[in-house]
Amino acid sequence: MSRIETHIGDITRLAVDAIVNAANSSLLGGGGIDRAIHRAAGPELLAECRTLNGCGTGNAKITKGYRLPARHVIHTVGPVWKGGSAGEADLLASCYETSLRLAADNDCWSIAFPAISTGIYGYPATKAATVAVTTVTRVLDDLPDILSVTLVAFDETSHAHLQEALGRKTDAR
Ligand code: AR6
């Protein structure tokens, strides 16, 4: 059975070992999902983030989940879309790969990802879904202990992009 599943809805409600936040390099909060996660986790999350000295694009850092049902939050910084020839795909893939490895290093065996970079950062949703699915599939081969990766879409359209990307992966096998 596949360890990759999809879900439509609010990532802050998921009771998994770690949810991933699409943050910015300050790690001090912002709009979109970042705001939703900080609001649901409570002020202790921002206090811990202040100790982390930010995070580079494509990298990830882990904190506790505080008032969230998830035990941990993995904060990653996606690339801003600049047309596609500024290394965006590699940086986005690095967000997924670094977050998964960090999860495994911290005994997080169920992880939920949002569609990193596809909101305020402007990454085209179809292309981002392909990067998410291909990267998670590749990295999971190397991390047999991870039990489930949930790719979370906030609406039906994003969900359709994920399903399409997962379908292409199945066809190719
Ligand atoms: N649950 C699941 N998905 C969500 C939720 C939610 N509660 N809220 C939004 N999304 P964005 P980015 C989806 O803009 O593009 C922040 O200010 C949303 O529909 O949150 O990586 C940071 O601080 C979209 O598909 O993140 C950075 O400055 C996806 O999550 C900047 O935005 C990502 O949208 C990061 O931009």
Side-chain angles (χ1 to χ4, degrees):
M1 222 183 81
S2 174
R3 288 180 284 157
I4 307 177
E5 31 191 288
T6 61
H7 175 81
I8 305 181
D10 182 353
I11 202 168
T12 65
R13 295 177 177 261
L14 298 185
V16 288
D17 291 332
I19 61 169
V20 175
N21 182 18
N24 60 59
S25 56
S26 77
L27 297 187
L28 298 181
I33 196 171
D34 202 0
R35 175 169 302 175
I37 288 175
H38 276 275
R39 191 180 293 150
E44 297 93 337
L45 179 60
L46 183 58
E48 185 175 355
C49 284
R50 285 192 203 284
T51 69
L52 298 178
N53 295 315
C55 181
T57 304
N59 210 340
K61 295 198 176 174
I62 191 165
T63 64
K64 289 187 250 178
Y66 300 98
R67 298 177 202 172
L68 289 164
R71 267 198 301 128
H72 290 280
V73 180
I74 292 175
H75 307 261
T76 191
V77 183
V80 176
W81 180 256
K82 292 176 183 157
S85 46
E88 292 96 326
D90 287 346
L91 288 166
L92 186 60
S94 175
C95 288
Y96 284 93
E97 175 156 9
T98 311
S99 297
L100 283 170
R101 294 192 187 283
L102 189 58
D105 287 346
N106 286 275
D107 297 334
C108 294
W109 311 121
S110 57
I111 303 126
F113 281 95
I116 301 162
S117 283
T118 65
I120 293 163
Y121 281 180
Y123 206 112
T126 44
K127 291 190 200 307
T130 303
V131 172
V133 166
T134 53
T135 308
V136 171
T137 303
R138 173 174 58 77
V139 178
L140 276 184
D141 280 345
D142 203 29
L143 298 174
D145 291 336
I146 289 192
L147 299 174
S148 83
V149 174
T150 306
L151 300 176
V152 180
F154 208 35
D155 55 42
E156 295 282 348
T157 312
S158 319
H159 190 247
H161 296 321
L162 287 174
Q163 296 289 29
E164 215 177 285
L166 282 166
R168 278 199 300 274
K169 188 202 85 178
T170 310
D171 290 347
R173 287 211 158 171

